[in-house]
Each structure stands twice: as structure tokens, then as C-alpha cells.
Amino acid sequence: MVTPNVKLADSNIIVKAEKVNKHFGSLHVLKDINIEVLKNEVVVIIGPSGSGKSTFLRCINHLEKINSGHIYVNGHMIGYHDRNGKLVEDNERNIARQRAEIGMVFQRFNLFPHLTAIENIIEAPTRVRKTPADQARADGERLLARVGLVDKRDQYPNQLSGGQQQRVAIARALAMKPSLMLFDEPTSALDPEMIGEVLDVMKELAHEMTMIVVSHEMGFARAAADRIVFVDEGQIIEQASPDDFFTKPRSERTQLFLSQILH
């Protein structure tokens, strides 16, 4: 069982990070990260390459281990329990149970190459959630229809374009009915003409669930985000609504960043 003394009271807070630090050897990648993400909020994290954005996303579902601080999802500490003020890693069974509540879409699509689109989608629900195969397939086909790919259900990943593969990956993540969706630069590996089709699906999903998106797509950030978080050198420099962020950024570092990417 998850240790009860790390339960948070406010059910409206889906993600809470407190003084999170992450090191890769001597490199201090995340520096005292503090943030709360509310239910059905869409938070877009932007910043220069190497600033720690993707690392933080991976720490949320314990794909990367933090060195200090706490991360809670749905009120429970992820990956650890607190023993006399020290982080002690949880057992794999509890971590897997927690991860089942978190959907993640990666830069690379990570589809199983030997499975068709529909088989990729129903794999986790049938194995992890023990969903009956017929129900999982029906749910999977509804999700494929939602991302515009029901006619591709029986095709293998190598028969799909990059944009189609990423849309299958989104449907696969949704199949587990997660309370939180993480998107790690989901369009960065796509050809430019395929980016729009993936962003359109993400815009449709916005506000139906809690989403944290690491992205360089400023148009998406403007259109879909409730809040934009600017990260640089492992620190949160500024966070604001899209309108405030793009029209009246407070930090000089934010102003410089925007001047370099918005022409």
C-alpha cells in the first residue's frame, strides 16, 4: 500500500512538486522545482534545450529518480516514501500501480513494431487493467476514431506516417484512462507537415483531463494552455497565462528567450 502519511488533502491538486532536485553526476539539472497543477489544467512547459524540461516530466512518473524533494500525483508521493525525512524508493509494484494512472507520450512513438495499431492500444488495458479483450478492442476503436485513424486499426507502425504513429501513441496512452497526461515534445520527431495533425488531437483533449506538455510549439501553447511555465537552467523562471506570458513577460530572461524564438 502507498504510505498514508504522504497523502495530500486537496483532491483538486493533481500534481505537486516540492523543492525537487535532480543531478546527473556533477550536473545539477533540476534546482528546487516547486509547482502545482490543478485538475483539468493544461500546463505547457517551454524553455531552451537542456534546461531540464523533459527531465522534470520524466521525474513525475519516476522514469528518472529525483535526489531530493517530493513529487505527488493524485495526492500520493510518486516513487518514494518518506522515512524520517529521507526519500526511500518504493517497491516496483506500487510504482507500477502509480504509473498506470499517468499517460505519457514521448518524442519517439515507442509503438510495438510487431503489433497493429489496435493491438498496441489494447495491450496495456488487457494486461495491466485486466479489461476483457472485446471491451478493450471496442474502447480502442473508439479512441482510434477520436484521433482520426479507425481505418488504420489493422496496420503496423511501419505502415503509418510519423504523425499517424504519434496519434496511435496518444490513443494508446488514453486507453488506460489516466488522470494525468504527460507529453514530452510530441511533435519534435515529426516532419513539419505532420505536426498540425498531432497538435489538433492534443487541442481536442485539452481541458478534458490534466495535461503537462513540454513543447516548442508556441502556437499550441497560446491556443491550448491555461498556464505557461518557462524553465531555464533547471529553474522555473516565470509562469503566467498565455496572454500575459507572450505580451508582458516579467523576467528579462523570458523576454530574451521570446525575442529569439518569436520573429
Side-chain angles (χ1 to χ4, degrees), residues 165-183:
Q165 289 185 62
Q166 192 62 295
R167 283 188 279 159
V168 171
I170 292 172
R172 181 178 64 176
L174 292 173
M176 290 291 284
K177 300 179 173 64
S179 59
L180 170 66
M181 282 286 288
L182 307 176
F183 293 86

Side-chain angles (χ1 to χ4, degrees), residues 1-14:
M1 295 293 294
V2 178
T3 309
N5 67 342
V6 297
K7 177 78 175 164
L8 293 180
D10 191 344
S11 61
N12 200 42
I13 299 173
I14 301 300

